[in-house]
Each structure stands twice: as structure tokens, then as C-alpha cells.
Amino acid sequence: MSDFALYFSVFFAAVFTNNILLTNYLGMCSFLGASREIKTAAGLGTAVIFVMTVTSALNWVVYYKLLVPFNLTHLRFIIFIVVIAAFVQIAEMAIERLSRKLYAALGIFLPLITVNCAILGASLFMIIRSYGFGQSVAYGAGSGVGWAMAIMAMAGIREKMAKSRIPKGLEGAGIALIIAGIMALAFVGFNGITS
Amino acid sequence: MSELLTALVVTCSITTVLALLLVIADSIINNYGEVTLRINEDRELKVEGGSSLLNTLKEQNVFIPSACGGRGSCGLCKLKVLEGAGDILPTESAWLTEDEKKNNIRLSCQVKVRNDMRLEIPEELLSVRQFKTRVVSMRDLTHDIKEVVLELEDPPEMEFIAGQFIQLEVPPYKLTDEPVYRAYSIASTPSSKKRIELEIRYVPNGICTTYVHKHMKEGDKVTINGPYGEFRLSDTQKEMICIAGGSGMAPIKSILLDMQEKKIRRKAQYFFGAKALRDLFLVDEMKKLESQLPDFRFIPALSGPDPSDNWKGETGLITKVVDSYIPNAAGMEAYLCGSPLMIDACVKLLKEKGMPEESIFYDKFA
């Protein structure tokens, strides 16, 4: 398989068959918290794509160039978290300085996802699956796109649902979790695509 | 052993590098230099850019009321920003009505100060300050209401309007882990700038009232901020109906004494509701006002007097008493202060008696 095909298959798998939100159930809190409006969901989704892609690359370098040579792979959890947090904060400052428009659309969501477990999850999965650098970036981007897609789909459903009558006990998080479950079932259908 | 050392060194160096990067980024990217805030077109503040408008103003001793402390979850810190705030952020839009959006109203905790700005801040917020005070006297007005006199130390004087309230800071103690703030009306008159009086009723397990009633003693240092509130005497000459219950006495007393000092000659009746004789207070002082104000009557009423009270005055709920005294309320003005239940009942009654809603002023003690 050519490099490009390899990256593409990793990307595609991360978006559909191994959707980090719907098959691993990571990043649930912001998924439930910020999925009331498509506009907000799109902003948050874009922020996740951006941060996941870049932090996967950064963490790959830190892991294979620092932690592996020094035999410190067991420190990856704490190191990854620190790298992600620092990157998000610097990115927020830079975006705010460079473009007000981009900051309004994307920047204000950045602090919300510093502690999003899906971001850390993506970095950990790329290690577990022993991806190379290119694959890791593709995987990070794919996971981000998959997460963004899932939250936007959810927001679309919830916007429609605002008009429907939901049993009292299921309002809010209850019905959202049931919907997430059904969406996850649908995504399992993509498993057939992979050979 | 060497493994432990490498682990320490590598972890420390990674975090140090990242921390350094953050510090550098903060001083280069986040440095907006000195900017000018122009307030109400007549006042200019030179401030450091980079933090939220709410916090920047707080550092300049301009306190915008806010309940959540800048997390964008209470929607109280609204301000009119005429220039320099950029577009409305998604974190603000949920709190703003269409009208407010058109009128440049913003949440000051979300707007960041990056460049020169023009703002409008209500004059009375500009006079809100924090005061360090000392408790100079405490006395029991009834079995559950205490009068607390605070002497202002820093700043030493407060300008306020009769009817306004302050917020009292309760320091952490048995019932609370963090400072809490509770609003109390000022019972003294604006002419007394150095000493203010509060009337505080004990509420079982109330964080602030328990503090005041069971812990506070003369000589204690207390922090307050204020003054706040729109409850005040209007500048009409209409006949006044004042109705209060319990510690609702405070702002009404301040307003009446202020009228006496300023020789405002409006006709006024003051209905004060209590349960039994032991809940009545300051009756002598109010009766004395009857001779000092040109046309004033104080009508205390008890809803459930004790047989031993030998009560000869009015009885029944305050609405019933007002009903019997005031045949027609059109053309009068009402000043109400007390529990939400009492106020709602009185507003209903006064409207039935022909008083337009805009002539009814009240301060609900929720």
C-alpha cells in the first residue's frame, strides 16, 4: 500500500469504523454539554479537530524522541496531559491575537477541551496501535473529524427534538445518552467495510 | 536509582520547557499594553490590557454586580460597550436579548480588554465601593431582629440615597467555607456618612443571619460593599403609603427620617405589620416622627397578638388594615418593603384600589 493509501485508511477508520466517541465513548462530557445547537457544536468540533491533529503529532514526537530513548514510557499519561494543556493555552492566546473572527468561532472553545478525554485518548491509542508519525497525524485528524461529525449529528437531532414530547424522566442527558447509543449502533454498521 | 533520576529530570525538563513557553507566550502574545477606557464620555481610566473587562474594572475599584465570578453562567454583569469590544461572542449570546444585542449590551466577564474602549456604566455603579468597617454597637430590637451599627474605616465615608442597600461579607466560619455576601438595607439616613445602621432578622440556619446573631460582637471588623438599589423616594408630591413588615422597617425608616431632615412636606402613612407585640420595634421613634413630619401617621398592626399583649391598636393582616384606611389609592404612591408574599398581596390590593403599577415601588426581601 502506498503511503497515501495507508494514511487514508487510518483516517477513514478513525472517522467511521473506530469513531472515538461512538465506539470508545470518549469525550462524552462535552458531547452532551455542548450539543444543544449545531452552531456551537460546529465550533467545538472544529476546535477538537485542530487540537487532536496537532497534539497527536506533538505527543508522537515527545513519546518516541524522549520517553522511549530514556525508557520512561510509563510516564506517558502525565506528560501527554501536560503537553496538551500547554499547547491549548498557547494556541488560545495566539488565535486571540491573530484573528478576532477565528477567536470568536473557535478560540473560546479551546479551554473547554483541554480536559477532553478524547484528546488524550487519541494520543494514547496511537501509541497502543504503534502508528508511525504520518499515521498518527492522520489518526488524530480522523478522530477529530469523527468526533466533530458525531457531535454535529447529535446537535441536529437535539435541535429537532426540542419540539418533540419526551417523557419527563428522560429529558436532558437521559434521552441524549439513548440517542448516542443508537448512533453508536449505526456506526457499528461501518465495521463491515474494513477487511 | 538512576532510573528514578532520569524520570525526574525528563519530567521536570519537559514541564519546565512548557512552562517557560507559556510565560514567554503570555508576555509576548498576551501583552496588549496600556489601553484607555472611556466611561460615560467624562472619565478616563488607563489600564493594562489582557484580562476581562469585569476584572479590569474591578482592579480600578469599579464593581459590576456579578454572581458567578466571571464564568459566564449568571448573565448579570451586563454593560453597554459602545466601541472596542468586537463582535458578540457565542458565550454571551445566550444571555442577551435581541434588543440588548442591538444596543451594544455585552457581558463584561466575556469581553476582553485589548484596545481602547468606550463604555457606559450607570452612575450609581461607579459609586459602589468596598468598605472596611468596625461594629460599634449591637442591640436587640425584638427577640429575633438585631440592630447593627457599623463605623466606616476605609474609606471613611459613604454617599448613598435613603432606601438603598449594601452587601455584607460573611467570612468563612462554621456554616460556610468561602465568603458569602448578603444584602441589607441601610436603616440610617444619608446624612450619617460615617456610621450606618442595619436591621438584621435571624433566620434559623441562615448563613449570614446566624453569623450576625450568634458570632458577631462589638469591635469586630466587617467588610461591606455598596450602595446598591433603585428603591428610593420619587420626586413627586403625591401622598405616600409605606407598608413594611419585619426588617423591612430599615429602608422605610431611612426614607422617613431623610424626609424629616430635608423638610420634605409630603403626606404619608406608614403601615407596619408584625405578629405579636414582641415583634414590634422602634414604635416610639416612629410615633415621634408623627409630630416632626407635617402630615405623617404611623399605624402598627398585629396579625396575631398575644392575649397578654393588651393590644389596643389595629389587628389583622396588613392588607386588611391598609384596605380599611385607604378607600382609593389612585393618585398616591406606595413604598413597600418586606417578604415577597406580603409585597405580592399589597401590590394586588393597591392595584384594585386604582393605583397604577408605576406608582408602586418595592424592595423584596427574598
Side-chain angles (χ1 to χ4, degrees):
Chain A
M1 220 190 293
S2 74
D3 272 1
F4 178 78
L6 187 66
Y7 298 156
F8 184 76
S9 74
V10 170
F11 177 85
F12 189 82
V15 177
F16 294 104
T17 56
N18 268 320
N19 188 295
I20 196 156
L21 200 143
L22 294 170
T23 56
N24 297 104
Y25 262 9
L26 288 176
M28 277 313 270
C29 36
S30 34
F31 175 68
L32 294 176
S35 58
R36 288 209 168 76
E37 280 176 34
I38 292 185
K39 215 178 138 198
T40 324
L44 189 61
T46 322
V48 168
I49 297 174
F50 170 64
V51 171
M52 253 188 202
T53 314
V54 182
T55 55
S56 297
L58 286 176
N59 280 336
W60 192 92
V61 173
V62 169
Y63 185 81
Y64 286 104
K65 302 295 167 197
L66 267 174
L67 299 187
V68 171
F70 286 106
N71 208 10
L72 294 171
T73 49
H74 54 284
L75 289 179
R76 61 182 181 271
F77 285 86
I78 185 160
I79 299 292
F80 285 179
I81 291 174
V82 175
V83 170
I84 292 169
F87 167 72
V88 169
Q89 202 161 357
I90 295 176
E92 190 205 356
M93 283 190 241
I95 290 176
E96 191 177 0
R97 188 81 196 201
L98 296 176
S99 159
R100 287 280 187 81
K101 280 226 158 63
L102 192 62
Y103 180 71
L106 178 75
I108 50 160
F109 295 108
L110 286 173
L112 296 178
I113 56 172
T114 318
V115 287
N116 189 323
C117 47
I119 311 273
L120 179 63
S123 288
L124 292 172
F125 278 132
M126 84 189 173
I127 304 297
I128 294 168
R129 294 175 190 167
S130 336
Y131 286 143
F133 182 75
Q135 281 172 307
S136 292
V137 175
Y139 176 71
S143 296
V145 171
W147 196 92
M149 225 172 61
I151 191 174
M152 283 173 68
M154 182 61 152
I157 294 171
R158 287 181 87 170
E159 274 189 6
K160 285 251 184 299
M161 213 166 58
K163 293 189 198 87
S164 50
R165 280 170 41 206
I166 296 152
K168 194 114 198 89
L170 284 178
E171 274 172 12
I175 194 79
L177 280 168
I178 293 175
I179 291 170
I182 297 171
M183 282 166 68
L185 279 178
F187 269 69
V188 169
F190 287 115
N191 272 342
I193 304 176
T194 43
S195 48
Chain B
M1 193 59 199
S2 68
E3 206 176 290
L4 190 69
L5 267 180
T6 30
L8 269 176
V9 170
V10 171
T11 317
C12 288
S13 34
I14 291 178
T15 34
T16 314
V17 168
L18 290 172
L20 271 177
L21 274 177
L22 270 175
V23 171
I24 296 169
D26 191 55
S27 65
I28 296 175
I29 308 178
N30 216 11
N31 182 359
Y32 292 87
E34 195 185 71
V35 298
T36 308
L37 300 181
R38 204 171 157 74
I39 299 169
N40 298 350
E41 304 299 332
D42 61 359
R43 201 168 136 186
E44 281 191 356
L45 294 177
K46 299 257 184 237
V47 297
E48 276 293 309
S51 51
S52 74
L53 184 56
L54 180 72
N55 285 334
T56 310
L57 287 170
K58 195 187 269 168
E59 272 164 33
Q60 300 294 320
N61 285 323
V62 177
F63 298 95
I64 309 298
S66 135
C68 68
R71 292 197 305 268
S73 62
C74 72
L76 286 178
C77 59
K78 288 176 185 172
L79 273 190
K80 191 166 192 166
V81 184
L82 298 169
E83 217 175 84
D87 295 332
I88 291 174
L89 299 170
T91 40
E92 293 173 83
S93 61
W95 300 103
L96 302 171
T97 64
E98 287 307 314
D99 268 1
E100 287 175 330
K101 285 178 190 169
K102 266 186 226 130
N103 285 312
N104 296 320
I105 305 286
R106 306 291 299 264
L107 283 196
S108 62
C109 70
Q110 299 299 312
V111 173
K112 221 169 170 184
V113 179
R114 300 189 192 83
N115 39 258
D116 294 354
M117 291 172 118
R118 271 172 57 221
L119 336 161
E120 266 177 34
I121 300 176
E123 266 321 310
E124 56 169 38
L125 282 185
L126 286 175
S127 60
V128 168
R129 289 272 182 285
Q130 184 155 303
F131 296 86
K132 292 201 169 63
T133 73
R134 193 166 52 89
V135 180
V136 286
S137 90
M138 294 185 76
R139 64 169 173 147
D140 289 318
L141 294 174
T142 71
H143 62 102
D144 66 351
I145 298 179
K146 261 193 202 306
E147 179 190 83
V148 179
V149 182
L150 301 174
E151 188 168 83
L152 306 187
E153 294 192 328
D154 180 31
E157 288 189 353
M158 182 196 285
E159 300 277 348
F160 66 96
I161 299 166
Q164 285 193 303
F165 64 88
I166 53 100
Q167 283 194 326
L168 185 81
E169 179 184 317
V170 182
Y173 79 111
K174 208 173 64 201
L175 291 186
T176 173
D177 296 334
E178 49 189 33
V180 294
Y181 298 86
R182 291 289 183 272
Y184 293 101
S185 293
I186 304 172
S188 46
T189 57
S191 60
S192 161
K193 292 177 183 169
K194 294 182 198 309
R195 285 189 171 204
I196 64 159
E197 273 172 45
L198 308 174
E199 287 163 6
I200 299 174
R201 180 181 200 161
Y202 178 64
V203 180
N205 293 320
I207 291 174
C208 189
T209 63
T210 307
Y211 178 75
V212 171
H213 277 254
K214 312 275 183 207
H215 296 267
M216 191 188 269
K217 51 189 188 307
E218 284 174 16
D220 279 4
K221 304 275 182 198
V222 181
T223 305
I224 61 170
N225 58 66
Y228 301 98
E230 298 288 335
F231 187 66
R232 64 189 60 169
L233 196 64
S234 72
D235 53 7
T236 65
Q237 284 304 317
K238 289 180 180 168
E239 183 179 341
M240 297 164 60
I241 307 173
C242 305
I243 310 174
S247 52
M249 168 70 89
I252 304 283
K253 180 187 152 206
S254 176
I255 287 176
L256 291 171
L257 290 176
D258 190 42
M259 283 169 64
Q260 182 225 335
E261 285 174 4
K262 292 185 178 149
K263 310 227 177 313
I264 296 171
R265 310 179 60 84
R266 281 173 73 170
K267 191 174 176 190
Q269 297 182 75
Y270 179 13
F271 299 90
F272 184 76
K275 188 152 185 288
L277 196 60
R278 65 175 198 150
D279 299 304
L280 270 185
F281 59 99
L282 296 179
V283 176
D284 294 341
E285 203 170 349
M286 290 297 118
K287 282 282 171 198
K288 212 170 87 191
L289 265 184
E290 289 189 339
S291 59
Q292 292 166 337
L293 282 168
D295 196 347
F296 171 69
R297 274 182 80 190
F298 179 58
I299 303 133
L302 299 184
S303 59
D306 201 76
S308 63
D309 286 351
N310 285 323
W311 179 248
K312 304 226 166 42
E314 297 293 338
T315 53
L317 283 177
I318 199 71
T319 40
K320 193 201 108 189
V321 180
V322 174
D323 189 24
S324 65
Y325 274 76
I326 311 283
N328 179 4
M332 297 186 183
E333 257 175 14
Y335 296 83
L336 320 176
C337 198
S339 69
L341 270 176
M342 185 207 96
I343 289 184
D344 292 343
C346 290
V347 168
K348 187 166 164 268
L349 174 79
L350 291 166
K351 278 204 216 154
E352 281 166 14
K353 293 196 168 287
M355 185 177 287
E357 194 152 8
E358 60 270 18
S359 295
I360 308 178
F361 308 104
Y362 53 80
D363 211 353
K364 264 188 201 179
F365 285 2

